[in-house]
Amino acid sequence: MHDLVELESVARTLALRAGRLIVDERPADLGVAQTKSSATDVVTEMDRRSEELLLTELGWMRPDDGVLGEEGTDEPGSSGITWVVDPIDGTVNYLYGLPAYAVSVAACTGDIDDPERLVPVAGAVYNPVTHELFHGRRGGGAYLTTGTGAPVRLRCSTQTDLSQALLGTGFGYAADKRARQGALLAGLIADVRDVRRAGSAALDLCSVAAGRLDVYYESGLNPWDRAVGQLLVLEAGGVVRGLTDAPSIDLVVAGCAALVGQLAGRL
Ligand code: IPD
Protein backbone atom coordinates (compact mmCIF):
# COMPACT_ATOMS: atom_id res chain seq x y z
CA MET A 1 0.00 0.00 0.00
CA HIS A 2 1.15 3.52 -0.72
CA ASP A 3 1.57 5.99 2.14
CA LEU A 4 -0.98 8.61 1.15
CA VAL A 5 -0.06 10.92 4.04
CA GLU A 6 3.51 10.99 2.75
CA LEU A 7 2.37 11.53 -0.85
CA GLU A 8 0.13 14.45 0.16
CA SER A 9 2.99 15.97 2.13
CA VAL A 10 5.34 15.74 -0.87
CA ALA A 11 2.65 17.27 -3.12
CA ARG A 12 2.13 20.17 -0.71
CA THR A 13 5.85 20.84 -0.34
CA LEU A 14 6.51 20.82 -4.08
CA ALA A 15 3.45 22.88 -5.06
CA LEU A 16 4.55 25.53 -2.56
CA ARG A 17 8.17 25.51 -3.81
CA ALA A 18 7.25 25.76 -7.47
CA GLY A 19 4.59 28.36 -6.70
CA ARG A 20 7.13 30.57 -4.95
CA LEU A 21 9.55 30.12 -7.85
CA ILE A 22 7.11 31.36 -10.47
CA VAL A 23 6.33 34.49 -8.44
CA ASP A 24 9.79 35.27 -7.01
CA GLU A 25 11.79 34.61 -10.17
CA ARG A 26 9.37 35.87 -12.78
CA PRO A 27 11.37 38.08 -15.14
CA ALA A 28 10.15 41.65 -15.60
CA ASP A 29 10.10 41.14 -19.35
CA LEU A 30 8.37 37.73 -19.33
CA GLY A 31 7.30 36.73 -22.81
CA VAL A 32 6.15 33.72 -24.78
CA ALA A 33 8.92 31.13 -25.14
CA GLN A 34 7.00 28.72 -27.36
CA THR A 35 3.51 27.97 -28.66
CA LYS A 36 1.96 24.51 -28.67
CA SER A 37 -1.40 23.42 -30.12
CA SER A 38 -2.22 26.91 -31.48
CA ALA A 39 -0.74 30.42 -31.54
CA THR A 40 -2.61 31.21 -28.28
CA ASP A 41 -1.51 28.03 -26.43
CA VAL A 42 1.64 29.46 -24.88
CA VAL A 43 4.59 28.35 -22.80
CA THR A 44 6.77 30.77 -20.82
CA GLU A 45 10.28 30.16 -19.55
CA MET A 46 8.74 29.93 -16.05
CA ASP A 47 6.51 27.01 -17.08
CA ARG A 48 9.72 25.21 -18.05
CA ARG A 49 11.63 26.21 -14.94
CA SER A 50 8.75 25.21 -12.68
CA GLU A 51 8.52 21.78 -14.34
CA GLU A 52 12.31 21.37 -14.04
CA LEU A 53 12.13 22.16 -10.33
CA LEU A 54 9.32 19.63 -9.80
CA LEU A 55 11.16 16.95 -11.77
CA THR A 56 14.45 17.54 -9.94
CA GLU A 57 12.87 17.56 -6.48
CA LEU A 58 10.80 14.45 -7.22
CA GLY A 59 14.01 12.76 -8.36
CA TRP A 60 15.48 13.39 -4.92
CA MET A 61 12.38 12.76 -2.83
CA ARG A 62 10.71 9.94 -4.80
CA PRO A 63 13.37 8.39 -7.07
CA ASP A 64 11.31 5.27 -7.92
CA ASP A 65 8.17 7.12 -9.01
CA GLY A 66 7.20 8.15 -12.56
CA VAL A 67 6.58 11.76 -13.58
CA LEU A 68 4.27 13.12 -16.28
CA GLY A 69 4.29 16.88 -16.86
CA GLU A 70 2.53 19.36 -19.10
CA GLU A 71 5.77 20.64 -20.61
CA GLY A 72 6.93 17.25 -21.86
CA THR A 73 8.17 15.22 -18.92
CA ASP A 74 7.25 11.55 -19.42
CA GLU A 75 9.39 9.37 -17.19
CA PRO A 76 8.13 5.95 -16.11
CA GLY A 77 8.87 4.72 -12.58
CA SER A 78 8.85 1.37 -10.81
CA SER A 79 6.94 2.11 -7.57
CA GLY A 80 3.39 2.17 -8.93
CA ILE A 81 3.11 5.93 -8.33
CA THR A 82 3.18 8.48 -11.15
CA TRP A 83 3.29 12.20 -10.40
CA VAL A 84 1.18 14.26 -12.75
CA VAL A 85 2.28 17.88 -12.63
CA ASP A 86 1.12 21.14 -14.15
CA PRO A 87 3.95 23.63 -13.58
CA ILE A 88 1.62 26.59 -14.26
CA ASP A 89 -2.07 25.99 -14.81
CA GLY A 90 -3.53 29.22 -16.12
CA THR A 91 -0.45 30.22 -18.11
CA VAL A 92 -2.32 32.94 -20.01
CA ASN A 93 -3.41 34.50 -16.70
CA TYR A 94 0.20 34.29 -15.52
CA LEU A 95 1.45 35.98 -18.68
CA TYR A 96 -1.06 38.82 -18.28
CA GLY A 97 -0.59 39.20 -14.52
CA LEU A 98 -4.10 38.00 -13.66
CA PRO A 99 -4.08 36.35 -10.22
CA ALA A 100 -5.73 33.02 -11.17
CA TYR A 101 -2.92 30.58 -11.83
CA ALA A 102 -1.53 27.67 -9.85
CA VAL A 103 0.92 24.80 -9.62
CA SER A 104 -0.77 21.40 -9.52
CA VAL A 105 1.00 18.28 -8.19
CA ALA A 106 -0.83 14.94 -8.08
CA ALA A 107 0.30 11.47 -7.01
CA CYS A 108 -1.54 8.89 -9.10
CA THR A 109 -1.76 5.15 -9.40
CA GLY A 110 -2.07 3.45 -12.79
CA ASP A 111 -0.02 3.17 -15.92
CA ILE A 112 1.87 6.21 -17.27
CA ASP A 113 1.33 4.78 -20.76
CA ASP A 114 -2.42 5.24 -20.27
CA PRO A 115 -2.49 8.72 -18.72
CA GLU A 116 -6.25 9.17 -19.11
CA ARG A 117 -6.75 6.32 -16.66
CA LEU A 118 -4.31 7.43 -13.99
CA VAL A 119 -6.11 7.63 -10.64
CA PRO A 120 -5.18 10.56 -8.36
CA VAL A 121 -4.72 9.49 -4.74
CA ALA A 122 -3.11 12.58 -3.19
CA GLY A 123 -2.23 16.06 -4.33
CA ALA A 124 -2.02 19.81 -3.94
CA VAL A 125 -2.86 22.91 -5.98
CA TYR A 126 -1.17 26.16 -4.93
CA ASN A 127 -2.11 29.67 -6.01
CA PRO A 128 0.98 31.70 -5.09
CA VAL A 129 -0.86 35.03 -5.42
CA THR A 130 -3.62 34.30 -2.91
CA HIS A 131 -1.38 31.92 -0.90
CA GLU A 132 -4.14 29.33 -1.06
CA LEU A 133 -3.03 25.69 -0.93
CA PHE A 134 -5.77 23.19 -1.78
CA HIS A 135 -4.77 19.68 -0.80
CA GLY A 136 -6.00 16.23 0.11
CA ARG A 137 -5.70 12.50 -0.24
CA ARG A 138 -8.07 9.65 -1.01
CA GLY A 139 -10.22 8.91 2.03
CA GLY A 140 -8.64 11.77 3.97
CA GLY A 141 -10.78 14.73 2.94
CA ALA A 142 -10.08 17.90 0.96
CA TYR A 143 -8.62 20.97 2.67
CA LEU A 144 -7.67 24.58 2.06
CA THR A 145 -4.71 26.02 3.93
CA THR A 146 -4.13 29.74 3.46
CA GLY A 147 -0.67 31.03 4.38
CA THR A 148 0.22 29.84 7.87
CA GLY A 149 -3.42 29.29 8.86
CA ALA A 150 -4.98 26.01 9.92
CA PRO A 151 -6.40 23.70 7.23
CA VAL A 152 -10.12 24.20 6.61
CA ARG A 153 -12.14 21.21 5.42
CA LEU A 154 -13.78 21.73 2.04
CA ARG A 155 -17.34 20.85 1.10
CA CYS A 156 -19.01 21.09 -2.29
CA SER A 157 -22.11 23.23 -2.60
CA THR A 158 -25.45 21.62 -1.84
CA GLN A 159 -27.29 23.58 -4.54
CA THR A 160 -29.55 21.26 -6.53
CA ASP A 161 -31.42 23.78 -8.69
CA LEU A 162 -29.57 24.35 -11.97
CA SER A 163 -31.31 27.71 -12.45
CA GLN A 164 -29.66 28.89 -9.20
CA ALA A 165 -26.25 27.39 -9.92
CA LEU A 166 -23.04 29.34 -10.54
CA LEU A 167 -21.46 27.48 -13.44
CA GLY A 168 -17.75 27.40 -14.23
CA THR A 169 -16.24 26.37 -17.54
CA GLY A 170 -13.23 26.85 -19.79
CA PHE A 171 -12.29 26.77 -23.45
CA GLY A 172 -9.65 25.03 -25.53
CA TYR A 173 -6.98 26.78 -27.58
CA ALA A 174 -8.12 25.77 -31.08
CA ALA A 175 -10.37 28.40 -32.70
CA ASP A 176 -12.88 25.95 -34.19
CA LYS A 177 -13.23 24.14 -30.90
CA ARG A 178 -13.71 27.41 -29.00
CA ALA A 179 -16.47 28.37 -31.41
CA ARG A 180 -18.31 25.10 -30.67
CA GLN A 181 -17.74 25.53 -26.93
CA GLY A 182 -19.09 29.10 -27.12
CA ALA A 183 -22.21 27.92 -28.94
CA LEU A 184 -22.82 25.22 -26.33
CA LEU A 185 -22.42 27.74 -23.52
CA ALA A 186 -24.80 30.16 -25.25
CA GLY A 187 -27.44 27.45 -24.99
CA LEU A 188 -26.88 27.10 -21.25
CA ILE A 189 -26.33 30.62 -19.98
CA ALA A 190 -30.00 31.55 -19.65
CA ASP A 191 -30.68 28.44 -17.59
CA VAL A 192 -28.14 29.02 -14.79
CA ARG A 193 -27.51 31.77 -12.21
CA ASP A 194 -24.40 32.97 -14.05
CA VAL A 195 -21.19 31.75 -15.66
CA ARG A 196 -17.52 32.13 -14.68
CA ARG A 197 -14.43 31.46 -16.85
CA ALA A 198 -11.49 31.94 -14.50
CA GLY A 199 -8.77 30.55 -16.79
CA SER A 200 -7.32 27.76 -14.66
CA ALA A 201 -9.05 24.39 -14.71
CA ALA A 202 -7.09 23.23 -11.65
CA LEU A 203 -8.40 26.20 -9.66
CA ASP A 204 -11.90 25.81 -11.13
CA LEU A 205 -12.10 22.27 -9.76
CA CYS A 206 -10.75 23.46 -6.40
CA SER A 207 -13.48 26.12 -6.45
CA VAL A 208 -16.07 23.38 -6.88
CA ALA A 209 -14.56 21.51 -3.92
CA ALA A 210 -14.71 24.73 -1.88
CA GLY A 211 -18.32 25.53 -2.85
CA ARG A 212 -17.22 28.67 -4.72
CA LEU A 213 -18.70 27.24 -7.90
CA ASP A 214 -21.77 25.03 -7.82
CA VAL A 215 -20.87 23.05 -10.91
CA TYR A 216 -18.20 23.02 -13.63
CA TYR A 217 -17.69 21.42 -16.99
CA GLU A 218 -15.02 21.51 -19.67
CA SER A 219 -13.91 19.38 -22.58
CA GLY A 220 -10.31 18.98 -23.68
CA LEU A 221 -8.70 18.86 -20.24
CA ASN A 222 -5.48 16.92 -19.91
CA PRO A 223 -4.68 14.78 -16.85
CA TRP A 224 -2.41 17.50 -15.40
CA ASP A 225 -5.22 20.08 -15.58
CA ARG A 226 -7.66 17.95 -13.62
CA ALA A 227 -5.84 15.32 -11.53
CA VAL A 228 -5.73 17.07 -8.16
CA GLY A 229 -8.98 18.96 -8.61
CA GLN A 230 -11.03 15.89 -9.40
CA LEU A 231 -9.71 14.13 -6.28
CA LEU A 232 -10.57 17.15 -4.12
CA VAL A 233 -14.11 17.39 -5.51
CA LEU A 234 -14.70 13.74 -4.62
CA GLU A 235 -13.23 14.23 -1.16
CA ALA A 236 -15.44 17.30 -0.68
CA GLY A 237 -18.57 15.22 -1.27
CA GLY A 238 -19.05 15.89 -4.96
CA VAL A 239 -19.01 13.77 -8.06
CA VAL A 240 -16.82 13.98 -11.16
CA ARG A 241 -17.78 12.28 -14.38
CA GLY A 242 -17.22 12.32 -18.10
CA LEU A 243 -19.46 11.67 -21.09
CA THR A 244 -20.45 8.23 -19.90
CA ASP A 245 -18.52 7.33 -16.77
CA ALA A 246 -15.01 8.44 -15.79
CA PRO A 247 -13.77 11.97 -16.56
CA SER A 248 -11.60 12.12 -19.68
CA ILE A 249 -10.26 14.51 -22.29
CA ASP A 250 -13.72 14.42 -23.88
CA LEU A 251 -15.53 15.86 -20.88
CA VAL A 252 -15.23 16.62 -17.18
CA VAL A 253 -18.35 17.57 -15.21
CA ALA A 254 -17.94 18.21 -11.47
CA GLY A 255 -20.23 19.29 -8.65
CA CYS A 256 -22.91 17.79 -6.43
CA ALA A 257 -24.59 14.69 -7.86
CA ALA A 258 -27.90 16.40 -8.64
CA LEU A 259 -26.36 19.26 -10.63
CA VAL A 260 -23.86 17.05 -12.45
CA GLY A 261 -26.71 14.80 -13.58
CA GLN A 262 -28.77 17.75 -14.84
CA LEU A 263 -25.85 19.42 -16.58
CA ALA A 264 -24.44 16.25 -18.16
CA GLY A 265 -27.82 15.72 -19.79
CA ARG A 266 -27.39 19.08 -21.56
CA LEU A 267 -23.83 18.55 -22.83
C1 IPD B 1 -5.53 25.68 -19.40
C2 IPD B 1 -6.35 26.25 -18.27
C3 IPD B 1 -7.69 26.74 -18.79
C4 IPD B 1 -8.45 25.68 -19.48
C5 IPD B 1 -7.63 25.07 -20.60
C6 IPD B 1 -6.30 24.57 -20.06
P1 IPD B 1 -2.88 25.87 -19.17
O1 IPD B 1 -4.31 25.15 -18.90
O2 IPD B 1 -6.56 25.27 -17.29
O3 IPD B 1 -8.51 27.20 -17.74
O4 IPD B 1 -9.64 26.23 -20.00
O5 IPD B 1 -8.37 24.00 -21.13
O6 IPD B 1 -5.53 24.06 -21.12
O7 IPD B 1 -2.67 25.86 -20.64
O8 IPD B 1 -2.99 27.24 -18.64
O9 IPD B 1 -1.92 25.00 -18.42
Side-chain angles (χ1 to χ4, degrees), residues 36-123:
K36 294 189 287 188
S37 60
S38 81
T40 53
D41 183 3
V42 297
V43 182
T44 72
E45 70 176 83
M46 297 309 291
D47 292 80
R48 291 177 179 158
R49 287 190 56 196
S50 175
E51 185 152 315
E52 274 164 27
L53 178 148
L54 294 168
L55 185 59
T56 304
E57 299 275 336
L58 283 168
W60 286 109
M61 298 168 84
R62 303 280 310 178
D64 298 330
D65 296 350
V67 188
L68 180 69
E70 180 179 21
E71 305 314 336
T73 302
D74 188 354
E75 295 195 356
S78 57
S79 67
I81 291 293
T82 296
W83 294 88
V84 177
V85 303
D86 194 334
I88 304 180
D89 186 61
T91 299
V92 175
N93 285 345
Y94 179 70
L95 186 65
Y96 278 73
L98 290 166
Y101 54 86
V103 177
S104 180
V105 181
C108 302
T109 56
D111 186 350
I112 195 171
D113 293 328
D114 191 4
E116 284 284 290
R117 289 174 189 263
L118 288 169
V119 177
V121 293

Side-chain angles (χ1 to χ4, degrees), residues 167-171 185 195-199 204 213 215-218:
L167 168 71
T169 192
F171 308 114
L185 185 59
V195 171
R196 297 287 182 270
R197 193 290 196 250
D204 287 333
L213 289 173
V215 67
Y216 165 82
Y217 77 94
E218 184 162 350

Side-chain angles (χ1 to χ4, degrees), residues 211-229:
R212 296 174 180 177
L213 289 173
D214 293 307
V215 67
Y216 165 82
Y217 77 94
E218 184 162 350
S219 71
L221 292 183
N222 286 294
W224 43 80
D225 298 314
R226 63 179 166 84
V228 179

Side-chain angles (χ1 to χ4, degrees), residues 6-264:
E6 156 78 5
L7 294 174
E8 182 185 349
S9 171
V10 170
R12 291 177 62 166
T13 300
L14 295 187
L16 285 166
R17 278 188 199 161
R20 287 192 199 109
L21 174 90
I22 62 176
V23 168
D24 293 348
E25 300 196 22
R26 175 190 171 118
D29 61 347
L30 183 76
V32 173
Q34 181 198 337
T35 59
K36 294 189 287 188
S37 60
S38 81
T40 53
D41 183 3
V42 297
V43 182
T44 72
E45 70 176 83
M46 297 309 291
D47 292 80
R48 291 177 179 158
R49 287 190 56 196
S50 175
E51 185 152 315
E52 274 164 27
L53 178 148
L54 294 168
L55 185 59
T56 304
E57 299 275 336
L58 283 168
W60 286 109
M61 298 168 84
R62 303 280 310 178
D64 298 330
D65 296 350
V67 188
L68 180 69
E70 180 179 21
E71 305 314 336
T73 302
D74 188 354
E75 295 195 356
S78 57
S79 67
I81 291 293
T82 296
W83 294 88
V84 177
V85 303
D86 194 334
I88 304 180
D89 186 61
T91 299
V92 175
N93 285 345
Y94 179 70
L95 186 65
Y96 278 73
L98 290 166
Y101 54 86
V103 177
S104 180
V105 181
C108 302
T109 56
D111 186 350
I112 195 171
D113 293 328
D114 191 4
E116 284 284 290
R117 289 174 189 263
L118 288 169
V119 177
V121 293
V125 169
Y126 181 54
N127 178 336
V129 184
T130 60
H131 306 287
E132 290 181 312
L133 180 69
F134 299 88
H135 55 98
R137 61 181 181 273
R138 190 163 65 188
Y143 291 87
L144 168 58
T145 301
T146 307
T148 55
V152 175
R153 184 134 196 197
L154 300 179
R155 294 276 176 214
C156 289
S157 132
T158 53
Q159 179 61 254
T160 56
D161 179 353
L162 191 60
S163 73
Q164 294 299 307
L166 188 59
L167 168 71
T169 192
F171 308 114
Y173 289 112
D176 56 341
K177 181 167 184 182
R178 296 170 73 87
R180 287 197 302 276
Q181 290 173 321
L184 179 67
L185 185 59
L188 287 170
I189 196 165
D191 300 334
V192 296
R193 175 191 295 273
D194 206 341
V195 171
R196 297 287 182 270
R197 193 290 196 250
S200 162
L203 288 174
D204 287 333
L205 286 162
C206 291
S207 290
V208 173
R212 296 174 180 177
L213 289 173
D214 293 307
V215 67
Y216 165 82
Y217 77 94
E218 184 162 350
S219 71
L221 292 183
N222 286 294
W224 43 80
D225 298 314
R226 63 179 166 84
V228 179
Q230 76 183 57
L231 169 69
L232 298 188
V233 170
L234 294 177
E235 290 297 324
V239 300
V240 185
R241 59 166 280 186
L243 266 183
T244 50
D245 188 5
S248 73
I249 197 158
D250 295 325
L251 184 67
V252 174
V253 193
C256 72
L259 284 182
V260 165
Q262 290 172 61
L263 186 60

